[in-house]
Amino acid sequence: GENVEQHPSTLSVQEGDSAVIKCTYSDSASNYFPWYKQELGKGPQLIIDIRSNVGEKKDQRIAVTLNKTAKHFSLHITETQPEDSAVYFCAASRFFGNEKLTFGTGTRLTIIP
Amino acid sequence: GAGVSQSPSNKVTEKGKDVELRCDPISGHTALYWYRQSLGQGLEFLIYFQGNSAPDKSGLPSDRFSAERTGGSVSTLTIQRTQQEDSAVYLCASSFDRGIENTIYFGEGSWLTVV
């Protein structure tokens, strides 16, 4: 089955700086890679996703890059703000969100004011 | 409702008792998932329902765990003879059928504490 590894497990950055979280996956057939943000006491919320037919996707301060050859993908948050503090999870699946997602172990991001 | 609805939001139960957790998916979503999240941990897949197909039960940790989905909508996750290690947040999610716009949306979770 699919195995997703995520690094780092914790990350602290100064407000205004950039944050990068990296994930690798094992199943070369995976073709859908979403990122979820989870705030304390809440369920995960999708913030951005990427499909295997593109290498990069951007949405305002958030971007995701995908390297299918190396089987890794990354989340980039620029101009970080205190409200970006949360736990971030990467995930992978074989179809466009319609098969079970295999999640990474999460990254606790803390933005230092 | 507008989102995935789960109940109860919090449940404290005695070891050995049975519990039922309910999930009401987003209207029109044919796929429904259950995940478990232990304190400070990642999301562990439990079970997946897709339309009328047989569910994927490969993630259920033991035969004390079962789930059903009635009428293709509401789902119930049942844990029999609860153990302390069952304490976790149980998250339900749903999505549309195969296609371009089938993002998986999560509910707020049911926090289960077994004492």
Side-chain angles (χ1 to χ4, degrees), chain A residues 38-39 41-44, chain B residues 3-11 21-24 33-37 43 77 88-93 105-112:
Chain A
Q38 187 176 30
E39 296 176 332
K42 298 196 170 184
Chain B
V4 177
S5 178
Q6 292 188 245
S7 61
S9 55
N10 284 284
K11 175 76 176 178
L21 307 176
R22 175 189 167 104
C23 174
D24 203 339
Y33 314 77
W34 284 98
Y35 283 81
R36 177 169 73 173
Q37 186 175 31
L43 286 81
L77 177 69
V89 178
Y90 290 82
L91 291 160
C92 178
Y105 296 90
F106 281 85
E108 298 286 85
S110 290
W111 294 65
L112 175 65

PDB file of all heavy atoms in Angstrom, chain A residues 38-39 41-44, chain B residues 3-11 21-24 33-37 43 77 88-93 105-112:
ATOM      1  N   GLN A  38      -5.216  21.711   9.925  1.00  0.00           N
ATOM      2  CA  GLN A  38      -6.068  21.360  11.050  1.00  0.00           C
ATOM      3  C   GLN A  38      -5.781  22.272  12.225  1.00  0.00           C
ATOM      4  O   GLN A  38      -4.660  22.258  12.765  1.00  0.00           O
ATOM      5  CB  GLN A  38      -5.883  19.896  11.455  1.00  0.00           C
ATOM      6  CG  GLN A  38      -6.879  19.438  12.518  1.00  0.00           C
ATOM      7  CD  GLN A  38      -6.765  17.968  12.848  1.00  0.00           C
ATOM      8  OE1 GLN A  38      -5.684  17.387  12.753  1.00  0.00           O
ATOM      9  NE2 GLN A  38      -7.882  17.348  13.232  1.00  0.00           N
ATOM     10  N   GLU A  39      -6.774  23.046  12.610  1.00  0.00           N
ATOM     11  CA  GLU A  39      -6.661  23.901  13.787  1.00  0.00           C
ATOM     12  C   GLU A  39      -7.136  23.132  15.007  1.00  0.00           C
ATOM     13  O   GLU A  39      -7.890  22.159  14.884  1.00  0.00           O
ATOM     14  CB  GLU A  39      -7.437  25.190  13.566  1.00  0.00           C
ATOM     15  CG  GLU A  39      -6.855  26.009  12.425  1.00  0.00           C
ATOM     16  CD  GLU A  39      -7.659  27.250  12.097  1.00  0.00           C
ATOM     17  OE1 GLU A  39      -8.882  27.252  12.332  1.00  0.00           O
ATOM     18  OE2 GLU A  39      -7.068  28.219  11.585  1.00  0.00           O
ATOM     19  N   GLY A  41      -8.850  21.366  17.803  1.00  0.00           N
ATOM     20  CA  GLY A  41     -10.239  21.041  18.074  1.00  0.00           C
ATOM     21  C   GLY A  41     -11.136  20.993  16.860  1.00  0.00           C
ATOM     22  O   GLY A  41     -12.358  20.858  16.999  1.00  0.00           O
ATOM     23  N   LYS A  42     -10.552  21.089  15.678  1.00  0.00           N
ATOM     24  CA  LYS A  42     -11.370  21.094  14.460  1.00  0.00           C
ATOM     25  C   LYS A  42     -10.942  19.969  13.524  1.00  0.00           C
ATOM     26  O   LYS A  42      -9.883  19.372  13.664  1.00  0.00           O
ATOM     27  CB  LYS A  42     -11.247  22.437  13.751  1.00  0.00           C
ATOM     28  CG  LYS A  42     -11.749  23.604  14.590  1.00  0.00           C
ATOM     29  CD  LYS A  42     -11.970  24.818  13.743  1.00  0.00           C
ATOM     30  CE  LYS A  42     -12.690  25.889  14.541  1.00  0.00           C
ATOM     31  NZ  LYS A  42     -13.010  27.084  13.724  1.00  0.00           N
ATOM     32  N   GLY A  43     -11.805  19.703  12.527  1.00  0.00           N
ATOM     33  CA  GLY A  43     -11.461  18.724  11.520  1.00  0.00           C
ATOM     34  C   GLY A  43     -10.515  19.310  10.483  1.00  0.00           C
ATOM     35  O   GLY A  43     -10.395  20.527  10.359  1.00  0.00           O
ATOM     36  N   PRO A  44      -9.801  18.483   9.743  1.00  0.00           N
ATOM     37  CA  PRO A  44      -8.889  18.972   8.701  1.00  0.00           C
ATOM     38  C   PRO A  44      -9.657  19.697   7.600  1.00  0.00           C
ATOM     39  O   PRO A  44     -10.750  19.270   7.214  1.00  0.00           O
ATOM     40  CB  PRO A  44      -8.247  17.694   8.164  1.00  0.00           C
ATOM     41  CG  PRO A  44      -8.493  16.653   9.200  1.00  0.00           C
ATOM     42  CD  PRO A  44      -9.788  17.018   9.845  1.00  0.00           C
TER      43      PRO A  44
ATOM     44  N   GLY B   3     -22.122  21.208   5.572  1.00  0.00           N
ATOM     45  CA  GLY B   3     -20.891  20.450   5.700  1.00  0.00           C
ATOM     46  C   GLY B   3     -21.178  19.057   6.217  1.00  0.00           C
ATOM     47  O   GLY B   3     -22.328  18.659   6.401  1.00  0.00           O
ATOM     48  N   VAL B   4     -20.101  18.312   6.456  1.00  0.00           N
ATOM     49  CA  VAL B   4     -20.226  16.985   7.051  1.00  0.00           C
ATOM     50  C   VAL B   4     -20.559  17.156   8.532  1.00  0.00           C
ATOM     51  O   VAL B   4     -19.862  17.891   9.238  1.00  0.00           O
ATOM     52  CB  VAL B   4     -18.927  16.181   6.886  1.00  0.00           C
ATOM     53  CG1 VAL B   4     -19.046  14.828   7.575  1.00  0.00           C
ATOM     54  CG2 VAL B   4     -18.579  16.025   5.409  1.00  0.00           C
ATOM     55  N   SER B   5     -21.605  16.508   8.959  1.00  0.00           N
ATOM     56  CA  SER B   5     -22.052  16.651  10.340  1.00  0.00           C
ATOM     57  C   SER B   5     -21.812  15.361  11.116  1.00  0.00           C
ATOM     58  O   SER B   5     -22.176  14.281  10.641  1.00  0.00           O
ATOM     59  CB  SER B   5     -23.544  16.996  10.351  1.00  0.00           C
ATOM     60  OG  SER B   5     -24.027  17.100  11.670  1.00  0.00           O
ATOM     61  N   GLN B   6     -21.210  15.478  12.283  1.00  0.00           N
ATOM     62  CA  GLN B   6     -20.928  14.301  13.101  1.00  0.00           C
ATOM     63  C   GLN B   6     -21.527  14.466  14.494  1.00  0.00           C
ATOM     64  O   GLN B   6     -21.555  15.569  15.040  1.00  0.00           O
ATOM     65  CB  GLN B   6     -19.414  14.078  13.248  1.00  0.00           C
ATOM     66  CG  GLN B   6     -18.743  13.668  11.964  1.00  0.00           C
ATOM     67  CD  GLN B   6     -17.303  13.278  12.181  1.00  0.00           C
ATOM     68  OE1 GLN B   6     -16.383  13.923  11.692  1.00  0.00           O
ATOM     69  NE2 GLN B   6     -17.090  12.182  12.907  1.00  0.00           N
ATOM     70  N   SER B   7     -21.996  13.334  15.027  1.00  0.00           N
ATOM     71  CA  SER B   7     -22.508  13.371  16.407  1.00  0.00           C
ATOM     72  C   SER B   7     -22.237  12.039  17.100  1.00  0.00           C
ATOM     73  O   SER B   7     -22.158  11.002  16.423  1.00  0.00           O
ATOM     74  CB  SER B   7     -24.015  13.663  16.396  1.00  0.00           C
ATOM     75  OG  SER B   7     -24.714  12.655  15.708  1.00  0.00           O
ATOM     76  N   PRO B   8     -22.028  12.039  18.418  1.00  0.00           N
ATOM     77  CA  PRO B   8     -21.895  13.240  19.244  1.00  0.00           C
ATOM     78  C   PRO B   8     -20.545  13.904  18.993  1.00  0.00           C
ATOM     79  O   PRO B   8     -19.625  13.284  18.478  1.00  0.00           O
ATOM     80  CB  PRO B   8     -21.983  12.664  20.663  1.00  0.00           C
ATOM     81  CG  PRO B   8     -21.379  11.302  20.539  1.00  0.00           C
ATOM     82  CD  PRO B   8     -21.810  10.788  19.180  1.00  0.00           C
ATOM     83  N   SER B   9     -20.398  15.144  19.405  1.00  0.00           N
ATOM     84  CA  SER B   9     -19.111  15.810  19.257  1.00  0.00           C
ATOM     85  C   SER B   9     -18.136  15.315  20.321  1.00  0.00           C
ATOM     86  O   SER B   9     -16.926  15.263  20.085  1.00  0.00           O
ATOM     87  CB  SER B   9     -19.274  17.323  19.326  1.00  0.00           C
ATOM     88  OG  SER B   9     -19.944  17.690  20.512  1.00  0.00           O
ATOM     89  N   ASN B  10     -18.671  14.952  21.473  1.00  0.00           N
ATOM     90  CA  ASN B  10     -17.851  14.407  22.558  1.00  0.00           C
ATOM     91  C   ASN B  10     -18.586  13.253  23.201  1.00  0.00           C
ATOM     92  O   ASN B  10     -19.795  13.323  23.402  1.00  0.00           O
ATOM     93  CB  ASN B  10     -17.576  15.460  23.636  1.00  0.00           C
ATOM     94  CG  ASN B  10     -16.534  16.456  23.214  1.00  0.00           C
ATOM     95  OD1 ASN B  10     -15.349  16.161  23.210  1.00  0.00           O
ATOM     96  ND2 ASN B  10     -16.972  17.639  22.842  1.00  0.00           N
ATOM     97  N   LYS B  11     -17.844  12.199  23.543  1.00  0.00           N
ATOM     98  CA  LYS B  11     -18.444  11.036  24.189  1.00  0.00           C
ATOM     99  C   LYS B  11     -17.451  10.453  25.185  1.00  0.00           C
ATOM    100  O   LYS B  11     -16.315  10.154  24.813  1.00  0.00           O
ATOM    101  CB  LYS B  11     -18.827   9.992  23.140  1.00  0.00           C
ATOM    102  CG  LYS B  11     -19.341   8.686  23.698  1.00  0.00           C
ATOM    103  CD  LYS B  11     -20.753   8.811  24.186  1.00  0.00           C
ATOM    104  CE  LYS B  11     -21.307   7.463  24.655  1.00  0.00           C
ATOM    105  NZ  LYS B  11     -22.691   7.606  25.187  1.00  0.00           N
ATOM    106  N   LEU B  21     -21.174   6.128  16.684  1.00  0.00           N
ATOM    107  CA  LEU B  21     -20.852   7.469  16.208  1.00  0.00           C
ATOM    108  C   LEU B  21     -21.543   7.654  14.861  1.00  0.00           C
ATOM    109  O   LEU B  21     -21.482   6.766  14.002  1.00  0.00           O
ATOM    110  CB  LEU B  21     -19.333   7.635  16.073  1.00  0.00           C
ATOM    111  CG  LEU B  21     -18.519   7.279  17.315  1.00  0.00           C
ATOM    112  CD1 LEU B  21     -17.021   7.389  17.009  1.00  0.00           C
ATOM    113  CD2 LEU B  21     -18.887   8.160  18.484  1.00  0.00           C
ATOM    114  N   ARG B  22     -22.134   8.833  14.694  1.00  0.00           N
ATOM    115  CA  ARG B  22     -22.945   9.058  13.500  1.00  0.00           C
ATOM    116  C   ARG B  22     -22.302  10.099  12.576  1.00  0.00           C
ATOM    117  O   ARG B  22     -21.690  11.064  13.050  1.00  0.00           O
ATOM    118  CB  ARG B  22     -24.334   9.548  13.919  1.00  0.00           C
ATOM    119  CG  ARG B  22     -25.268   9.936  12.778  1.00  0.00           C
ATOM    120  CD  ARG B  22     -26.522  10.597  13.314  1.00  0.00           C
ATOM    121  NE  ARG B  22     -27.273  11.247  12.233  1.00  0.00           N
ATOM    122  CZ  ARG B  22     -28.386  10.736  11.697  1.00  0.00           C
ATOM    123  NH1 ARG B  22     -28.888   9.598  12.123  1.00  0.00           N
ATOM    124  NH2 ARG B  22     -29.008  11.381  10.725  1.00  0.00           N
ATOM    125  N   CYS B  23     -22.468   9.882  11.279  1.00  0.00           N
ATOM    126  CA  CYS B  23     -21.966  10.829  10.290  1.00  0.00           C
ATOM    127  C   CYS B  23     -23.039  11.104   9.252  1.00  0.00           C
ATOM    128  O   CYS B  23     -23.600  10.169   8.657  1.00  0.00           O
ATOM    129  CB  CYS B  23     -20.715  10.279   9.601  1.00  0.00           C
ATOM    130  SG  CYS B  23     -20.120  11.309   8.231  1.00  0.00           S
ATOM    131  N   ASP B  24     -23.282  12.385   9.023  1.00  0.00           N
ATOM    132  CA  ASP B  24     -24.225  12.813   8.001  1.00  0.00           C
ATOM    133  C   ASP B  24     -23.408  13.541   6.921  1.00  0.00           C
ATOM    134  O   ASP B  24     -22.923  14.652   7.162  1.00  0.00           O
ATOM    135  CB  ASP B  24     -25.261  13.750   8.615  1.00  0.00           C
ATOM    136  CG  ASP B  24     -26.544  13.792   7.817  1.00  0.00           C
ATOM    137  OD1 ASP B  24     -26.506  13.432   6.630  1.00  0.00           O
ATOM    138  OD2 ASP B  24     -27.575  14.193   8.387  1.00  0.00           O
ATOM    139  N   TYR B  33     -16.040   8.320   4.178  1.00  0.00           N
ATOM    140  CA  TYR B  33     -14.835   7.751   4.775  1.00  0.00           C
ATOM    141  C   TYR B  33     -14.888   7.939   6.288  1.00  0.00           C
ATOM    142  O   TYR B  33     -15.385   8.953   6.780  1.00  0.00           O
ATOM    143  CB  TYR B  33     -13.579   8.472   4.269  1.00  0.00           C
ATOM    144  CG  TYR B  33     -13.517   8.715   2.784  1.00  0.00           C
ATOM    145  CD1 TYR B  33     -14.259   9.729   2.192  1.00  0.00           C
ATOM    146  CD2 TYR B  33     -12.690   7.948   1.969  1.00  0.00           C
ATOM    147  CE1 TYR B  33     -14.186   9.977   0.835  1.00  0.00           C
ATOM    148  CE2 TYR B  33     -12.602   8.192   0.602  1.00  0.00           C
ATOM    149  CZ  TYR B  33     -13.361   9.201   0.045  1.00  0.00           C
ATOM    150  OH  TYR B  33     -13.282   9.438  -1.301  1.00  0.00           O
ATOM    151  N   TRP B  34     -14.297   6.999   7.007  1.00  0.00           N
ATOM    152  CA  TRP B  34     -14.027   7.157   8.434  1.00  0.00           C
ATOM    153  C   TRP B  34     -12.515   7.066   8.661  1.00  0.00           C
ATOM    154  O   TRP B  34     -11.857   6.155   8.139  1.00  0.00           O
ATOM    155  CB  TRP B  34     -14.719   6.076   9.260  1.00  0.00           C
ATOM    156  CG  TRP B  34     -16.192   6.257   9.458  1.00  0.00           C
ATOM    157  CD1 TRP B  34     -17.197   5.670   8.748  1.00  0.00           C
ATOM    158  CD2 TRP B  34     -16.831   7.066  10.455  1.00  0.00           C
ATOM    159  NE1 TRP B  34     -18.417   6.061   9.238  1.00  0.00           N
ATOM    160  CE2 TRP B  34     -18.229   6.916  10.283  1.00  0.00           C
ATOM    161  CE3 TRP B  34     -16.368   7.893  11.479  1.00  0.00           C
ATOM    162  CZ2 TRP B  34     -19.163   7.563  11.099  1.00  0.00           C
ATOM    163  CZ3 TRP B  34     -17.291   8.537  12.280  1.00  0.00           C
ATOM    164  CH2 TRP B  34     -18.674   8.374  12.084  1.00  0.00           C
ATOM    165  N   TYR B  35     -12.012   8.018   9.436  1.00  0.00           N
ATOM    166  CA  TYR B  35     -10.617   8.032   9.851  1.00  0.00           C
ATOM    167  C   TYR B  35     -10.563   8.155  11.368  1.00  0.00           C
ATOM    168  O   TYR B  35     -11.496   8.647  12.002  1.00  0.00           O
ATOM    169  CB  TYR B  35      -9.856   9.215   9.233  1.00  0.00           C
ATOM    170  CG  TYR B  35      -9.488   9.044   7.785  1.00  0.00           C
ATOM    171  CD1 TYR B  35     -10.419   9.279   6.774  1.00  0.00           C
ATOM    172  CD2 TYR B  35      -8.210   8.636   7.416  1.00  0.00           C
ATOM    173  CE1 TYR B  35     -10.075   9.117   5.432  1.00  0.00           C
ATOM    174  CE2 TYR B  35      -7.858   8.486   6.076  1.00  0.00           C
ATOM    175  CZ  TYR B  35      -8.801   8.721   5.102  1.00  0.00           C
ATOM    176  OH  TYR B  35      -8.464   8.561   3.785  1.00  0.00           O
ATOM    177  N   ARG B  36      -9.450   7.747  11.951  1.00  0.00           N
ATOM    178  CA  ARG B  36      -9.232   7.885  13.380  1.00  0.00           C
ATOM    179  C   ARG B  36      -7.957   8.679  13.606  1.00  0.00           C
ATOM    180  O   ARG B  36      -6.953   8.469  12.916  1.00  0.00           O
ATOM    181  CB  ARG B  36      -9.117   6.500  14.033  1.00  0.00           C
ATOM    182  CG  ARG B  36      -8.828   6.537  15.516  1.00  0.00           C
ATOM    183  CD  ARG B  36      -8.986   5.173  16.138  1.00  0.00           C
ATOM    184  NE  ARG B  36      -7.917   4.254  15.795  1.00  0.00           N
ATOM    185  CZ  ARG B  36      -7.799   3.038  16.353  1.00  0.00           C
ATOM    186  NH1 ARG B  36      -8.683   2.642  17.248  1.00  0.00           N
ATOM    187  NH2 ARG B  36      -6.812   2.246  15.997  1.00  0.00           N
ATOM    188  N   GLN B  37      -8.008   9.579  14.568  1.00  0.00           N
ATOM    189  CA  GLN B  37      -6.837  10.392  14.896  1.00  0.00           C
ATOM    190  C   GLN B  37      -6.598  10.330  16.389  1.00  0.00           C
ATOM    191  O   GLN B  37      -7.368  10.888  17.172  1.00  0.00           O
ATOM    192  CB  GLN B  37      -7.049  11.839  14.442  1.00  0.00           C
ATOM    193  CG  GLN B  37      -5.821  12.714  14.618  1.00  0.00           C
ATOM    194  CD  GLN B  37      -6.011  14.108  14.047  1.00  0.00           C
ATOM    195  OE1 GLN B  37      -7.116  14.639  14.025  1.00  0.00           O
ATOM    196  NE2 GLN B  37      -4.939  14.712  13.585  1.00  0.00           N
ATOM    197  N   LEU B  43      -3.720  10.825  10.686  1.00  0.00           N
ATOM    198  CA  LEU B  43      -5.035  10.272  10.412  1.00  0.00           C
ATOM    199  C   LEU B  43      -4.905   8.836   9.913  1.00  0.00           C
ATOM    200  O   LEU B  43      -4.237   8.585   8.914  1.00  0.00           O
ATOM    201  CB  LEU B  43      -5.776  11.118   9.383  1.00  0.00           C
ATOM    202  CG  LEU B  43      -6.314  12.457   9.880  1.00  0.00           C
ATOM    203  CD1 LEU B  43      -5.239  13.520   9.916  1.00  0.00           C
ATOM    204  CD2 LEU B  43      -7.464  12.906   9.009  1.00  0.00           C
ATOM    205  N   LEU B  77     -20.650   4.408  12.784  1.00  0.00           N
ATOM    206  CA  LEU B  77     -19.469   3.626  13.176  1.00  0.00           C
ATOM    207  C   LEU B  77     -19.744   3.089  14.579  1.00  0.00           C
ATOM    208  O   LEU B  77     -20.047   3.871  15.485  1.00  0.00           O
ATOM    209  CB  LEU B  77     -18.211   4.480  13.166  1.00  0.00           C
ATOM    210  CG  LEU B  77     -16.909   3.822  13.627  1.00  0.00           C
ATOM    211  CD1 LEU B  77     -16.458   2.777  12.610  1.00  0.00           C
ATOM    212  CD2 LEU B  77     -15.813   4.862  13.819  1.00  0.00           C
ATOM    213  N   ALA B  88      -9.852   8.427  20.980  1.00  0.00           N
ATOM    214  CA  ALA B  88      -9.330   9.141  19.827  1.00  0.00           C
ATOM    215  C   ALA B  88     -10.419  10.058  19.284  1.00  0.00           C
ATOM    216  O   ALA B  88     -11.554  10.038  19.770  1.00  0.00           O
ATOM    217  CB  ALA B  88      -8.888   8.160  18.732  1.00  0.00           C
ATOM    218  N   VAL B  89     -10.054  10.824  18.258  1.00  0.00           N
ATOM    219  CA  VAL B  89     -11.058  11.571  17.501  1.00  0.00           C
ATOM    220  C   VAL B  89     -11.399  10.746  16.273  1.00  0.00           C
ATOM    221  O   VAL B  89     -10.502  10.311  15.534  1.00  0.00           O
ATOM    222  CB  VAL B  89     -10.526  12.951  17.067  1.00  0.00           C
ATOM    223  CG1 VAL B  89     -11.591  13.676  16.251  1.00  0.00           C
ATOM    224  CG2 VAL B  89     -10.121  13.768  18.275  1.00  0.00           C
ATOM    225  N   TYR B  90     -12.673  10.524  16.057  1.00  0.00           N
ATOM    226  CA  TYR B  90     -13.129   9.762  14.894  1.00  0.00           C
ATOM    227  C   TYR B  90     -13.677  10.771  13.884  1.00  0.00           C
ATOM    228  O   TYR B  90     -14.646  11.474  14.142  1.00  0.00           O
ATOM    229  CB  TYR B  90     -14.155   8.711  15.302  1.00  0.00           C
ATOM    230  CG  TYR B  90     -13.496   7.608  16.089  1.00  0.00           C
ATOM    231  CD1 TYR B  90     -13.244   7.752  17.451  1.00  0.00           C
ATOM    232  CD2 TYR B  90     -13.059   6.452  15.459  1.00  0.00           C
ATOM    233  CE1 TYR B  90     -12.578   6.765  18.173  1.00  0.00           C
ATOM    234  CE2 TYR B  90     -12.398   5.450  16.165  1.00  0.00           C
ATOM    235  CZ  TYR B  90     -12.158   5.617  17.520  1.00  0.00           C
ATOM    236  OH  TYR B  90     -11.500   4.643  18.215  1.00  0.00           O
ATOM    237  N   LEU B  91     -13.022  10.825  12.739  1.00  0.00           N
ATOM    238  CA  LEU B  91     -13.347  11.815  11.713  1.00  0.00           C
ATOM    239  C   LEU B  91     -14.063  11.148  10.551  1.00  0.00           C
ATOM    240  O   LEU B  91     -13.640  10.108  10.068  1.00  0.00           O
ATOM    241  CB  LEU B  91     -12.066  12.481  11.199  1.00  0.00           C
ATOM    242  CG  LEU B  91     -11.358  13.404  12.185  1.00  0.00           C
ATOM    243  CD1 LEU B  91      -9.903  13.601  11.786  1.00  0.00           C
ATOM    244  CD2 LEU B  91     -12.068  14.738  12.260  1.00  0.00           C
ATOM    245  N   CYS B  92     -15.126  11.777  10.116  1.00  0.00           N
ATOM    246  CA  CYS B  92     -15.860  11.323   8.942  1.00  0.00           C
ATOM    247  C   CYS B  92     -15.613  12.321   7.813  1.00  0.00           C
ATOM    248  O   CYS B  92     -15.417  13.526   8.064  1.00  0.00           O
ATOM    249  CB  CYS B  92     -17.349  11.238   9.260  1.00  0.00           C
ATOM    250  SG  CYS B  92     -18.394  10.740   7.871  1.00  0.00           S
ATOM    251  N   ALA B  93     -15.589  11.835   6.587  1.00  0.00           N
ATOM    252  CA  ALA B  93     -15.391  12.706   5.430  1.00  0.00           C
ATOM    253  C   ALA B  93     -16.267  12.199   4.287  1.00  0.00           C
ATOM    254  O   ALA B  93     -16.667  11.033   4.261  1.00  0.00           O
ATOM    255  CB  ALA B  93     -13.924  12.724   5.019  1.00  0.00           C
ATOM    256  N   TYR B 105     -14.113  16.280   1.968  1.00  0.00           N
ATOM    257  CA  TYR B 105     -14.385  17.238   3.037  1.00  0.00           C
ATOM    258  C   TYR B 105     -14.570  16.493   4.353  1.00  0.00           C
ATOM    259  O   TYR B 105     -15.291  15.497   4.416  1.00  0.00           O
ATOM    260  CB  TYR B 105     -15.654  18.030   2.731  1.00  0.00           C
ATOM    261  CG  TYR B 105     -15.567  18.896   1.498  1.00  0.00           C
ATOM    262  CD1 TYR B 105     -15.929  18.412   0.246  1.00  0.00           C
ATOM    263  CD2 TYR B 105     -15.088  20.199   1.578  1.00  0.00           C
ATOM    264  CE1 TYR B 105     -15.833  19.196  -0.884  1.00  0.00           C
ATOM    265  CE2 TYR B 105     -14.988  20.998   0.455  1.00  0.00           C
ATOM    266  CZ  TYR B 105     -15.364  20.484  -0.775  1.00  0.00           C
ATOM    267  OH  TYR B 105     -15.265  21.272  -1.890  1.00  0.00           O
ATOM    268  N   PHE B 106     -13.962  17.015   5.404  1.00  0.00           N
ATOM    269  CA  PHE B 106     -14.031  16.392   6.721  1.00  0.00           C
ATOM    270  C   PHE B 106     -15.037  17.087   7.626  1.00  0.00           C
ATOM    271  O   PHE B 106     -15.250  18.291   7.537  1.00  0.00           O
ATOM    272  CB  PHE B 106     -12.661  16.426   7.407  1.00  0.00           C
ATOM    273  CG  PHE B 106     -11.710  15.378   6.917  1.00  0.00           C
ATOM    274  CD1 PHE B 106     -10.938  15.606   5.789  1.00  0.00           C
ATOM    275  CD2 PHE B 106     -11.592  14.166   7.578  1.00  0.00           C
ATOM    276  CE1 PHE B 106     -10.051  14.639   5.326  1.00  0.00           C
ATOM    277  CE2 PHE B 106     -10.713  13.191   7.122  1.00  0.00           C
ATOM    278  CZ  PHE B 106      -9.951  13.430   5.999  1.00  0.00           C
ATOM    279  N   GLY B 107     -15.611  16.297   8.546  1.00  0.00           N
ATOM    280  CA  GLY B 107     -16.392  16.861   9.627  1.00  0.00           C
ATOM    281  C   GLY B 107     -15.479  17.285  10.768  1.00  0.00           C
ATOM    282  O   GLY B 107     -14.250  17.183  10.666  1.00  0.00           O
ATOM    283  N   GLU B 108     -16.097  17.763  11.855  1.00  0.00           N
ATOM    284  CA  GLU B 108     -15.324  18.247  12.997  1.00  0.00           C
ATOM    285  C   GLU B 108     -14.864  17.116  13.904  1.00  0.00           C
ATOM    286  O   GLU B 108     -14.045  17.331  14.786  1.00  0.00           O
ATOM    287  CB  GLU B 108     -16.155  19.239  13.805  1.00  0.00           C
ATOM    288  CG  GLU B 108     -16.558  20.480  13.026  1.00  0.00           C
ATOM    289  CD  GLU B 108     -15.412  21.445  12.822  1.00  0.00           C
ATOM    290  OE1 GLU B 108     -14.639  21.267  11.851  1.00  0.00           O
ATOM    291  OE2 GLU B 108     -15.280  22.387  13.622  1.00  0.00           O
ATOM    292  N   GLY B 109     -15.411  15.940  13.718  1.00  0.00           N
ATOM    293  CA  GLY B 109     -14.967  14.787  14.486  1.00  0.00           C
ATOM    294  C   GLY B 109     -15.802  14.512  15.716  1.00  0.00           C
ATOM    295  O   GLY B 109     -16.505  15.382  16.256  1.00  0.00           O
ATOM    296  N   SER B 110     -15.740  13.272  16.151  1.00  0.00           N
ATOM    297  CA  SER B 110     -16.336  12.847  17.428  1.00  0.00           C
ATOM    298  C   SER B 110     -15.199  12.453  18.357  1.00  0.00           C
ATOM    299  O   SER B 110     -14.433  11.540  18.043  1.00  0.00           O
ATOM    300  CB  SER B 110     -17.260  11.636  17.232  1.00  0.00           C
ATOM    301  OG  SER B 110     -18.428  11.988  16.542  1.00  0.00           O
ATOM    302  N   TRP B 111     -15.085  13.181  19.484  1.00  0.00           N
ATOM    303  CA  TRP B 111     -14.004  12.910  20.433  1.00  0.00           C
ATOM    304  C   TRP B 111     -14.474  11.828  21.397  1.00  0.00           C
ATOM    305  O   TRP B 111     -15.386  12.039  22.186  1.00  0.00           O
ATOM    306  CB  TRP B 111     -13.662  14.181  21.214  1.00  0.00           C
ATOM    307  CG  TRP B 111     -13.069  15.258  20.370  1.00  0.00           C
ATOM    308  CD1 TRP B 111     -13.672  15.938  19.356  1.00  0.00           C
ATOM    309  CD2 TRP B 111     -11.764  15.794  20.470  1.00  0.00           C
ATOM    310  NE1 TRP B 111     -12.813  16.868  18.822  1.00  0.00           N
ATOM    311  CE2 TRP B 111     -11.629  16.798  19.487  1.00  0.00           C
ATOM    312  CE3 TRP B 111     -10.675  15.532  21.309  1.00  0.00           C
ATOM    313  CZ2 TRP B 111     -10.455  17.535  19.311  1.00  0.00           C
ATOM    314  CZ3 TRP B 111      -9.505  16.278  21.142  1.00  0.00           C
ATOM    315  CH2 TRP B 111      -9.405  17.258  20.148  1.00  0.00           C
ATOM    316  N   LEU B 112     -13.836  10.678  21.348  1.00  0.00           N
ATOM    317  CA  LEU B 112     -14.209   9.556  22.200  1.00  0.00           C
ATOM    318  C   LEU B 112     -13.161   9.354  23.288  1.00  0.00           C
ATOM    319  O   LEU B 112     -11.974   9.247  23.000  1.00  0.00           O
ATOM    320  CB  LEU B 112     -14.340   8.273  21.380  1.00  0.00           C
ATOM    321  CG  LEU B 112     -14.618   6.992  22.179  1.00  0.00           C
ATOM    322  CD1 LEU B 112     -15.988   7.064  22.852  1.00  0.00           C
ATOM    323  CD2 LEU B 112     -14.519   5.759  21.286  1.00  0.00           C
TER     324      LEU B 112
END
